[in-house]
Amino acid sequence: TDIRVTEPMLIQTQSFLISSPPYWSYQITSTLAGNQGTWLVRRRFRHVVALEDRLRHACPGSILPPRPDKHATRALEEASTQQSAEFAVQRAKELEHYLNQLAKHPAAGQSQVLRLFLGLQDDIGTAWAEVSTNALTRLGAVGAGVSMKVAETTNLTAASAPAHEWEEDAELLALCSSENLRLGAVSQAVPKLEGTVILLREQGDAAGALGMELSKASKTLDIDYKFFEILSNGLLRHGRRNKRLSLELGAAMDSFLHQYKLVRYEKMAMQDRRQAIQRKAKERGRADSRALYLSQQQRNLQINGQMNQLSQLEQNAIIMDSQALDAVSEADEIGARLKSEIHRVAITRRTEWNSSMKTVASCMKEACSERVAIWESTLEAFENLFRIPEQAPQPAQGNIAG
């Protein structure tokens, strides 16, 4: 499936009772594989948020692609009456990349949730109450959703606990333990890399600004101050090179930023496994308690001839046992999916990080060489400026005879 997000449209909503801010709507065109047809729908960003929430519950144990962020500045812009078309075009590109990643995902790409999102011609709110156009329906669904998200946030914090406290599969225990160490390292290292790129850009801006001021000074002062012009030239070239380096490193860091955003989603996948293990233990305990109660009451009920009550207890025990088996099956399925997802992400990460590291090393090497050349040429210009010209030796004068 190939997905295109185009034609952003600013929707102004008018209501007698409720005033809501304008929002952007996007046309989503999905071309199905094998010439099976094309789906054409319009969706807004709120629908994409709901899509992620539903995929999280439909595909437990999956490490989903990171959804585009709703940045603070964009949130303010989105709530204003004057929204830029550049914002909408950039958002459309982000959504297109995200939806194509979901379509290629081994679990999410095959889910009915994604197919409904891409293929339902009517307003998606008719199927998903949390994005309904009816305010009362939406508020009811959102209220329940908030409770679930608070519980998920609490559980996500708990999922950061050492894996040996809850994981019972030896292979998954080793895998989750090593992944938690890696996720912690990524969470600390990537912001530092981002800070380095920002620092390089700020240094470039500062060098450029100082160079411009010195250039102005060199044009207004006497020729004896020519060293201002030389230093200004060096600073301007150094500033431009630093800013170019920051752009190159920023582009090369996309794979690192992607993995940084993926940390939260991998922790949520581990949380799914943890919750499945807890459900399995709970259902198994209930089934064992029901079976024990049945064994204790069975003889007395048979003696007293209470066969109907005995039959009901046996039926309840069978139901409890069936629920326990379903919980075991679900936990095993989530565990297998989590294991597969961690390996899948690791393969992608190794490929992308190797390429990014080579790019970073190449950019740094080239930038260092050029900056050395800039300041060596500046030093040479200073030396030439202040070099005292050597005087030619005077010929020796002999005594003139009178």
Side-chain angles (χ1 to χ4, degrees):
T1 303
D2 181 60
I3 302 173
R4 293 285 179 268
V5 180
T6 55
E7 299 184 19
M9 181 186 301
L10 186 61
I11 306 297
Q12 300 278 354
T13 55
Q14 298 291 337
S15 174
F16 179 72
L17 296 176
I18 301 176
S19 173
S20 57
Y23 62 88
W24 285 101
S25 170
Y26 304 90
Q27 178 174 289
I28 301 177
T29 307
S30 306
T31 305
L32 305 182
N35 296 324
Q36 296 182 9
T38 301
W39 294 339
L40 188 67
V41 296
R42 292 202 73 87
R43 299 286 183 260
R44 57 182 295 187
F45 189 77
R46 177 190 293 172
H47 301 153
V48 179
V49 175
L51 169 66
E52 182 192 59
D53 292 341
R54 285 180 171 265
L55 284 174
R56 282 269 303 109
H57 292 92
C59 309
S62 294
I63 304 176
L64 298 176
R67 173 177 54 79
D69 296 323
K70 197 162 188 174
H71 306 295
T73 54
R74 289 185 177 179
L76 293 174
E77 185 179 7
E78 205 170 45
S80 68
T81 55
Q82 296 179 345
Q83 301 185 52
S84 65
E86 291 80 5
F87 161 80
V89 170
Q90 180 61 32
R91 175 64 85 195
K93 291 179 181 178
E94 294 173 354
L95 293 177
E96 180 175 301
H97 178 69
Y98 173 63
L99 293 175
N100 277 292
Q101 282 188 319
L102 284 179
K104 295 174 183 176
H105 191 276
Q110 306 299 321
S111 69
Q112 290 299 319
V113 174
L114 182 61
R115 292 179 63 86
L116 183 67
F117 177 86
L118 296 175
L120 183 63
Q121 297 294 322
D122 298 331
D123 179 20
I124 194 69
T126 59
W128 296 352
E130 65 271 26
V131 291
S132 172
T133 53
N134 186 299
L136 295 178
T137 304
R138 187 170 66 250
L139 285 174
V142 168
V146 168
S147 312
M148 293 177 63
K149 286 189 177 181
V150 169
E152 282 185 1
T153 304
T154 305
N155 291 329
L156 187 58
T157 304
S160 301
H164 67 267
E165 294 183 3
W166 50 270
E167 184 53 66
E168 52 190 23
D169 181 87
E171 185 178 355
L172 268 174
L173 173 59
L175 198 58
C176 290
S177 298
S178 63
E179 277 299 292
N180 278 326
L181 292 175
R182 187 189 66 79
L183 296 178
V186 169
S187 299
Q188 293 180 5
V190 173
K192 293 178 182 178
L193 291 175
E194 283 189 288
T196 301
V197 173
I198 294 172
L199 186 60
L200 282 170
R201 184 170 62 248
E202 290 177 349
Q203 286 178 346
D205 292 337
L210 181 57
M212 289 296 296
E213 292 301 318
L214 288 176
S215 177
K216 294 177 183 177
S218 68
K219 293 175 181 177
T220 57
L221 295 175
D222 191 80
I223 194 168
D224 291 341
Y225 293 90
K226 190 175 180 182
F227 65 90
F228 278 3
E229 182 181 347
I230 297 173
L231 182 57
S232 166
N233 184 47
L235 286 170
L236 288 172
R237 291 164 62 197
H238 177 81
R240 286 194 297 268
R241 191 61 190 87
N242 260 22
K243 287 193 284 187
R244 196 176 93 192
L245 177 61
S246 69
L247 290 175
E248 292 169 346
L249 293 181
M253 277 186 57
D254 283 347
S255 60
F256 302 130
L257 293 175
H258 177 75
Q259 288 295 322
Y260 179 72
K261 293 177 182 178
L262 213 58
V263 167
R264 175 173 172 266
Y265 291 84
E266 190 162 344
K267 286 184 177 181
M268 287 194 292
M270 292 181 187
Q271 170 197 333
D272 292 337
R273 167 68 177 173
R274 185 173 186 267
Q275 290 177 338
I277 291 175
Q278 291 174 339
R279 281 195 299 271
K280 181 176 76 170
K282 179 181 178 181
E283 293 298 334
R284 187 71 268 171
R286 292 175 60 190
D288 290 344
S289 298
R290 180 60 62 178
L292 178 62
Y293 181 75
L294 174 62
S295 64
Q296 292 172 345
Q297 298 296 321
Q298 187 173 17
R299 183 173 178 79
N300 291 334
L301 291 174
Q302 287 176 342
I303 292 174
N304 295 328
Q306 298 176 328
M307 303 307 295
N308 288 337
Q309 189 174 352
L310 176 61
S311 176
Q312 185 176 1
L313 287 178
E314 289 175 344
Q315 190 65 30
N316 289 340
I318 292 173
I319 293 174
M320 290 290 185
D321 215 32
S322 176
Q323 291 176 347
L325 290 174
D326 290 342
V328 170
S329 176
E330 181 188 25
D332 291 344
E333 181 182 351
I334 292 175
R337 182 178 293 159
L338 176 61
K339 193 185 304 181
S340 172
E341 286 287 273
I342 291 176
H343 288 310
R344 177 184 65 82
V345 171
I347 292 172
T348 305
R349 181 177 66 248
R350 292 190 191 103
T351 304
E352 293 179 349
W353 279 25
N354 285 340
S355 175
S356 295
M357 287 302 297
K358 290 178 181 177
T359 304
V360 169
S362 175
C363 292
M364 291 295 293
K365 181 179 179 181
E366 182 182 350
C368 287
S369 300
E370 292 187 17
R371 284 185 294 190
V372 168
I374 289 171
W375 290 112
E376 283 182 347
S377 65
T378 303
L379 178 61
E380 183 180 355
F382 274 128
E383 290 174 344
N384 292 334
L385 178 64
F386 295 107
R387 181 178 293 131
I388 299 175
E390 297 180 1
Q391 295 182 354
Q394 297 292 332
Q397 295 181 357
N399 292 330
I400 301 177

